[in-house]
């Protein structure tokens, strides 16, 4: 439909409902003469009189009543929908897809989402827990969560948690007949619980640092897993030494089920970041989620 027809139909609807060119003109912010011209042009194009005009009143003809009954509800629906869409600026809505590892999901993401979802009931969050590094653009994720050291340069990275430390832990029972390692090289004498992440393929090398000296150690043992919860449980059960985020095993260390070794070789490092493409156009819901997750010191 031509834009002229739509504008003229809107003019006709206003006049027919108000029964007055003057009141309709005030409602639409136009002059009465402009409305009269628009309605007359519509009548000429369809060849039917739509309004009966007298010096005192304006009323729809039979054809005008029929047309008004047809178009008025449709324009009302359009205006209502436009209004609902406009309200989305004040009421965030939509679906946000995030990929993350299990540790960040449990310690960072879910605590924030528990409040966020309650505050914004029209927002849906889809969380994909994956130990590997995911191409968020290729797999159509809005954002990912990873440690700050593993982020690509073309990504916006927002810190969402404090610095982290790793911990090499084993059960008291495991160390009954074994000496605790004093340096990472001593791990060669121990059974270690290896981790294999999907994107690495190879086994994860345990990363240590002391006095500015970095040391990556490839360890050996009978057990290889791809998930840190099983590694933690295996360490508790005496299967060997596991290398895990310190806060993930802090409770077990405090209650004596695990012993923390090589602490002086495990300095802090950049913690978790929310990352997303720099070219991404943010929705209001996404911007609010970023702020809800953003880590603030002090």
């Amino acid at each position: 439909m031509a834009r002229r027809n739509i504008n003229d139909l809107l003019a006709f609807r206003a006049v027919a409902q108000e029964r007055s060119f003057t009141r309709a003109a005030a409602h639409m912010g136009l002059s009465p003469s402009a409305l009269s011209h628009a309605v007359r042009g519509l009548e000429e194009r369809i060849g039917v009189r739509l309004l009966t005009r007298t010096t005192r009143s304006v009323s729809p003809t039979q054809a005008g009543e029929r047309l008004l009954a047809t178009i008025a509800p449709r324009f009302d629906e359009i205006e209502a929908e436009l209004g609902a869409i406009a309200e989305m600026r004040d009421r965030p809505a939509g679906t946000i897809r995030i990929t993350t590892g299990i540790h960040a999901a449990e310690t960072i993401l879910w605590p924030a989402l528990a409040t966020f979802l309650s505050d914004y009931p029209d927002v849906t969050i889809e969380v994909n827990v994956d130990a590997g590094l995911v191409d968020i653009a290729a797999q159509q994720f809005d954002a990912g969560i990873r440690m700050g050291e593993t982020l690509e340069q073309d990504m916006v990275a927002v810190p969402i948690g404090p610095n982290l430390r790793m911990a090499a832990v084993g059960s008291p029972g495991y160390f009954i007949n074994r000496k605790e390692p004093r340096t990472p090289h001593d791990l060669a004498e121990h059974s270690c619980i290896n981790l294999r992440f999907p994107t690495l393929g190879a086994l994860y090398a345990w990363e240590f640092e002391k006095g500015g000296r970095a040391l990556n150690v490839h360890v050996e043992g009978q057990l290889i897993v791809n998930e840190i919860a099983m590694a933690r449980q295996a360490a508790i059960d005496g299967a060997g030494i596991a290398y895990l985020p310190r806060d993930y095993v802090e409770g077990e260390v405090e209650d004596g089920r695990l012993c923390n070794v090589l602490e002086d070789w495990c300095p802090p490092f950049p913690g978790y970041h929310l990352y997303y493409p720099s070219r991404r156009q943010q929705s209001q819901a996404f911007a609010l989620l970023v702020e809800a997750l953003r880590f603030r010191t002090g």
Side-chain angles (χ1 to χ4, degrees):
M1 181 184 293
R3 180 179 299 178
R4 181 180 177 185
N5 284 342
I6 294 175
N7 291 336
D8 291 351
L9 286 171
L10 288 171
F12 163 73
R13 181 188 65 159
V15 175
Q17 289 177 335
E18 295 290 343
R19 298 296 201 268
S20 165
F21 280 98
T22 301
R23 289 194 298 270
H27 177 75
M28 295 188 70
L30 300 172
S31 67
S33 61
L35 282 188
S36 178
H37 179 75
V39 172
R40 192 170 301 281
L42 178 62
E43 290 174 325
E44 289 175 355
R45 285 196 301 279
I46 63 177
V48 176
R49 181 174 292 278
L50 299 173
L51 296 174
T52 299
R53 305 164 178 82
T54 68
T55 56
R56 294 188 177 183
S57 67
V58 177
S59 61
T61 63
Q62 183 178 4
E65 290 283 7
R66 177 176 175 177
L67 180 60
L68 180 64
T70 300
I71 66 169
R74 288 167 172 77
F75 279 124
D76 289 343
E77 288 175 6
I78 292 171
E79 290 173 353
E81 185 61 26
L82 290 174
I85 292 173
E87 285 181 6
M88 291 174 66
R89 294 174 300 183
D90 303 316
R91 189 181 64 191
T95 298
I96 301 171
R97 302 184 71 234
I98 299 176
T99 177
T100 179
I102 184 63
H103 180 236
E106 292 181 350
T107 61
I108 303 289
L109 183 58
W110 173 244
L113 289 184
T115 301
F116 183 87
L117 294 174
S118 177
D119 291 342
Y120 304 104
D122 295 323
V123 178
T124 298
I125 308 293
E126 179 180 342
V127 179
N128 176 70
V129 178
D130 193 325
L133 297 176
V134 175
D135 184 336
I136 61 174
Q139 298 193 31
Q140 297 184 324
F141 286 101
D142 296 292
I145 296 176
R146 290 294 180 264
M147 293 180 183
E149 296 177 326
T150 62
L151 299 177
E152 298 177 9
Q153 295 298 317
D154 62 343
M155 294 287 171
V156 175
V158 179
I160 60 173
N163 286 344
L164 295 174
R165 293 183 69 180
M166 298 297 288
V169 294
S171 70
Y174 172 80
F175 288 117
I176 286 178
N177 298 315
R178 300 176 179 87
K179 291 183 179 181
E180 292 187 2
R182 302 297 181 187
T183 73
H185 294 293
D186 294 337
L187 292 171
E189 305 299 322
H190 289 269
S191 178
C192 297
I193 300 165
N194 265 301
L195 283 169
R196 188 191 301 277
F197 296 122
T199 48
L200 292 176
L203 299 178
Y204 168 64
W206 295 10
E207 300 170 277
F208 297 98
E209 183 179 335
K210 185 177 181 180
R213 175 192 174 199
L215 185 63
N216 291 352
V217 178
H218 292 275
V219 298
E220 295 184 358
Q222 290 181 280
L223 181 64
I224 301 171
V225 300
N226 69 343
E227 199 266 334
I228 62 174
M230 186 173 180
R232 178 176 62 181
Q233 188 59 51
I236 292 171
D237 293 339
I241 299 175
Y243 191 62
L244 299 167
R246 181 170 176 171
D247 66 312
Y248 195 65
V249 294
E250 207 158 36
E252 290 75 12
V253 171
E254 289 179 356
D255 65 23
R257 287 186 291 163
L258 288 174
C259 302
N260 193 357
V261 298
L262 300 174
E263 288 189 74
D264 55 340
W265 282 88
C266 300
F269 60 90
Y272 289 112
H273 287 63
L274 182 79
Y275 68 98
Y276 54 91
S278 57
R279 63 184 179 278
R280 187 188 193 283
Q281 184 175 358
Q282 293 187 15
S283 66
Q284 185 185 17
F286 185 81
L288 287 168
L289 180 62
V290 171
E291 291 307 309
L293 287 168
R294 187 186 299 274
F295 178 71
R296 294 173 174 84
T297 59

